[in-house]
């Protein structure tokens, strides 16, 4: 697929990980990038909305950034994410700091191919699927891959990190 080379897709290619890249028309006026991806891809690809994951950058109480990857429809439990990463508490990271650290823009932050590899926690529901989607590093671009490959390449810990 032309125009889909990003640091995330390059990392997958370099690692020899089988994956597919799916694109959809990104609406610049959209306020919810994850919901936009779900709306565009669930019906087209025959997926459950829980198979499409969002990447959120958080900041732990020691001032370090980390990444939480969870299904788009779910809300993040900052307490659970912090605990999984061995931190006392966490807050959402400043948007500019998240973009600077990862090298991606909001709505296109991928757990893969980040400028600076951050500690990562992935919601344990990921491994209940044979495939999951996450951002490919650009708005309107998603990577479709085996969740075990996502865990391995990010060095993530698996934990239940959704609220409720």
């Amino acid at each position: 697929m032309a125009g889909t080379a990003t640091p995330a897709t390059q990392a997958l290619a370099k690692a020899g990980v089988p994956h597919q890249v799916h694109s959809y028309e990104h609406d610049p006026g959209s306020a919810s990038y994850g919901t936009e991806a779900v709306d565009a891809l669930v019906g087209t690809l025959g997926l459950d909305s829980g198979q499409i994951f969002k990447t959120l950058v958080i900041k732990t109480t020691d001032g370090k950034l980390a990444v939480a990857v969870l299904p788009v429809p779910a809300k993040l439990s900052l307490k659970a994410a912090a605990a999984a990463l061995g931190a006392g508490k966490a807050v959402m990271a400043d948007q500019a700091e998240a973009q600077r650290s990862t090298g991606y823009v909001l709505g296109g932050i991928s757990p893969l191919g980040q400028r600076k590899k951050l500690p990562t926690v992935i919601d344990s529901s990921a491994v209940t699927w044979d495939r999951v989607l996450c951002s490919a590093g650009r708005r309107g671009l998603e990577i479709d891959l085996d969740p075990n490959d996502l865990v391995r390449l990010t060095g993530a810990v698996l934990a239940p990190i959704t609220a409720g």
Side-chain angles (χ1 to χ4, degrees):
M1 176 179 276
T4 60
T6 67
T9 60
Q10 291 168 347
L12 288 168
K14 184 178 178 183
V17 172
H19 65 282
Q20 287 185 294
V21 178
H22 302 287
S23 64
Y24 59 91
E25 190 66 34
H26 164 64
D27 174 4
S30 176
S32 178
Y33 305 111
T35 301
E36 182 180 48
V38 167
D39 291 346
L41 299 174
V42 165
T44 309
L45 301 176
L47 299 171
D48 183 283
S49 61
Q51 286 177 269
I52 301 178
F53 282 65
K54 58 188 171 188
T55 306
L56 303 176
V57 181
I58 61 176
K59 189 176 215 174
T60 58
T61 48
D62 60 4
K64 295 182 181 171
L65 295 179
V67 171
V69 183
L70 65 155
V72 167
K75 296 220 182 287
L76 175 64
S77 166
L78 286 163
K79 183 177 180 179
L85 294 165
K89 290 184 179 180
V91 296
M92 292 303 298
D94 173 73
Q95 293 179 357
E97 191 175 22
Q99 292 179 127
R100 196 170 38 253
S101 178
T102 63
Y104 294 117
V105 298
L106 290 184
I109 294 178
S110 178
L112 299 161
Q114 296 172 359
R115 180 178 292 147
K116 179 181 175 189
K117 189 173 180 178
L118 299 173
T120 302
V121 58
I122 297 174
D123 186 69
S124 53
S125 68
V127 294
T128 65
W129 301 103
D130 62 338
R131 65 191 243 223
V132 295
L133 278 72
C134 65
S135 177
R138 188 177 306 143
R139 295 173 187 157
L141 213 57
E142 296 283 313
I143 298 169
D144 183 330
L145 75 164
D146 182 312
N148 295 299
D149 287 330
L150 180 61
V151 171
R152 181 175 52 82
L153 289 177
T154 57
V157 294
L158 282 171
I161 59 168
T162 59

